[in-house]
Amino acid sequence: GESVGLHLPTLSVQEGDNSIINCAYSNSASDYFIWYKQESGKGPQFIIDIRSNMDKRQGQRVTVLLNKTVKHLSLQIAATQPGDSAVYFCAERHGSSNTGKLIFGQGTTLQVKP
Amino acid sequence: ETGVTQSPTHLIKTRGQQVTLRCSSQSGHNTVSWYQQALGQGPQFIFQYYREEENGRGNFPPRFSGLQFPNYSSELNVNALELDDSALYLCASSLGLAGVRETQYFGPGTRLLVL
């Protein structure tokens, strides 16, 4: 079925620590994955994406890891800052789809303690 | 380069009314997708428009309809509003052929409340 799930609804970390947000997906035909950050009252903001032919991709302070064997995606944020506090969504797109339909998970709330 | 903009920011309607939401895509983007985000949930795909044609639709009834204009801006129309239509409506734009794995950039959304 179509579902993208996150393991934890809320993650609380200390400022300066690294954060890891996890996501499980169910469709093995998905070949493109995206992480979005959504702050209160705003639309989702693109963070980083990864295609299924890759295992890892790095951005500025963020790393996305993809494990296709267990259908698991994670977002790592280095040196977490108060400004990182938000809801984080993973989203997938099915490789067989001829549309841009993204399937989102429920979201994980990241709380950064000063 | 301007980002995705949406109007209005907030809207209050009553059951049975009709509503039109508007979206201007990011400069140079020719594909627009609409999503509905209920409180505490992830966005759900409504439909996508590419070069003024609908290209894919999610599990939403026909009373949800849309348009895309030659300048790639878009409208979402919802008829016969129901209480469950209360949500944040998000527009996302992307560049390129629909189905190509192009990043979708979201606007700030329109918060619709149906009473």
Side-chain angles (χ1 to χ4, degrees):
Chain A
E2 294 185 343
S3 67
V4 179
L6 298 175
H7 291 316
L8 292 173
T10 303
L11 175 67
S12 185
V13 300
Q14 203 71 38
E15 180 180 358
D17 287 352
N18 296 333
S19 303
I20 300 176
I21 302 172
N22 295 304
C23 180
Y25 63 96
S26 60
N27 195 317
S28 57
S30 293
D31 65 352
Y32 179 58
F33 305 88
I34 315 100
W35 281 100
Y36 286 95
K37 170 188 179 183
Q38 188 172 26
E39 297 174 282
S40 181
K42 297 183 179 180
Q45 175 188 355
F46 171 82
I47 302 173
I48 192 168
D49 59 3
I50 188 168
R51 305 189 192 285
S52 59
N53 61 352
M54 302 171 68
D55 298 322
K56 178 180 179 179
R57 192 166 186 219
Q58 289 184 292
Q60 186 178 11
R61 278 202 308 121
V62 295
T63 301
V64 55
L65 298 177
L66 176 63
N67 186 330
K68 294 180 289 294
T69 302
V70 295
K71 291 185 282 190
H72 183 269
L73 189 70
S74 69
L75 176 70
Q76 301 178 0
I77 304 173
T80 311
Q81 303 168 359
D84 294 327
S85 294
V87 179
Y88 289 79
F89 291 97
C90 63
E92 64 178 308
R93 187 149 56 200
H94 296 174
S96 59
S97 171
N98 62 354
T99 77
K101 176 181 179 180
L102 293 177
I103 300 167
F104 284 80
Q106 298 286 344
T108 292
T109 300
L110 177 64
Q111 298 175 339
V112 182
K113 297 177 288 186
Chain B
E1 182 180 285
T2 56
V4 180
T5 60
Q6 293 185 244
S7 63
T9 55
H10 296 83
L11 203 53
I12 300 175
K13 292 285 188 178
T14 57
R15 275 186 303 175
Q17 285 189 311
Q18 178 266 343
V19 69
T20 297
L21 310 181
R22 295 177 175 82
C23 170
S24 291
S25 59
Q26 185 167 317
S27 178
H29 285 186
N30 56 12
T31 304
V32 171
S33 304
W34 285 92
Y35 293 81
Q36 180 194 67
Q37 185 177 24
L39 201 60
Q41 304 291 319
Q44 287 201 312
F45 178 78
I46 302 175
F47 42 55
Q48 180 185 71
Y49 278 84
Y50 170 66
R51 292 185 175 179
E52 304 177 56
E53 297 288 331
E54 185 180 291
N55 181 66
R57 187 179 183 92
N59 189 26
F60 282 82
R63 59 190 184 85
F64 285 78
S65 63
L67 284 172
Q68 187 179 31
F69 301 98
N71 66 354
Y72 305 130
S73 66
S74 179
E75 286 183 354
L76 165 66
N77 299 288
V78 187
N79 293 322
L81 283 166
E82 301 177 0
L83 296 180
D84 284 349
D85 295 333
S86 296
L88 180 68
Y89 287 86
L90 295 162
C91 167
S93 75
S94 53
L95 173 64
L97 292 171
V100 175
R101 295 156 188 80
E102 298 293 345
T103 303
Q104 294 184 20
Y105 295 93
F106 284 83
T110 294
R111 176 75 63 187
L112 173 65
L113 177 61
V114 182
L115 301 175

